[in-house]
Amino acid sequence: MSENPFIQALLISFAMAIFMVGMAMGIMQIVTTGSNPVPYAIILLVFAIIFILGSVFFEKRGADEVGSIVGAALVSSVSTFSIISFLGGLSFAFNDGLFSIGWNRLVSALAICMIVSMLVVKFFSYRVQNQYS
């Protein structure tokens, strides 16, 4: 990655915005079709892997057993939903869904998500910086 802070901020913001737009399109596809883009067995496997990693992460950070399990369940639920909805967005995009949205809406959504992602990155970097200084 480049050492230029402008390019770093732009790349991080763009990548997060692409993920957010993909999630939004995935949610649109799941709601309109009423079906999951990924089989339930794969969803459960993704949840299980993130749950195990999350519980170990929280336990190593000093959480007790119940806290690490609750934290891991919350993180794995949100992460699994995000991943599945993004995959649904990819499916939506590859099945000519982008043309039904229109380029103006797609570019506007991307721009809004880039602004939101930059605000999120700045907020969390500020919180981490104040917490550990």
Side-chain angles (χ1 to χ4, degrees):
M1 185 180 252
S2 173
E3 293 296 322
N4 187 338
F6 298 108
I7 294 176
Q8 286 179 352
L10 190 61
L11 289 176
I12 289 170
S13 176
F14 186 72
M16 287 178 66
I18 291 289
F19 188 75
M20 283 191 254
V21 169
M23 283 179 53
M25 288 189 306
I27 292 170
M28 285 172 37
Q29 184 200 21
I30 291 170
V31 168
T32 56
T33 63
S35 64
N36 287 332
V38 179
Y40 287 111
I42 302 298
I43 294 172
L44 186 59
L45 180 65
V46 169
F47 180 86
I49 291 170
I50 297 172
F51 180 79
I52 291 168
L53 295 175
S55 66
V56 171
F57 174 79
F58 287 121
E59 199 170 297
K60 293 293 181 187
R61 298 278 182 202
D64 59 348
E65 288 81 16
V66 174
S68 67
I69 289 174
V70 170
L74 182 65
V75 167
S76 58
S77 297
V78 170
S79 299
T80 302
F81 176 74
S82 299
I83 292 168
I84 299 308
S85 62
F86 179 73
L87 292 175
L90 290 179
S91 171
F92 181 78
F94 288 127
N95 291 327
D96 295 329
L98 294 178
F99 297 113
S100 67
I101 292 175
W103 289 106
N104 288 336
R105 287 184 183 159
L106 186 64
V107 171
S108 296
L110 185 64
I112 291 168
C113 288
M114 286 177 74
I115 293 167
V116 169
S117 67
M118 196 65 212
L119 292 173
V120 168
V121 167
K122 290 298 180 185
F123 173 75
F124 281 118
S125 66
Y126 174 77
R127 295 281 293 181
V128 167
Q129 189 177 31
N130 283 346
Q131 187 175 10
Y132 293 110
S133 36

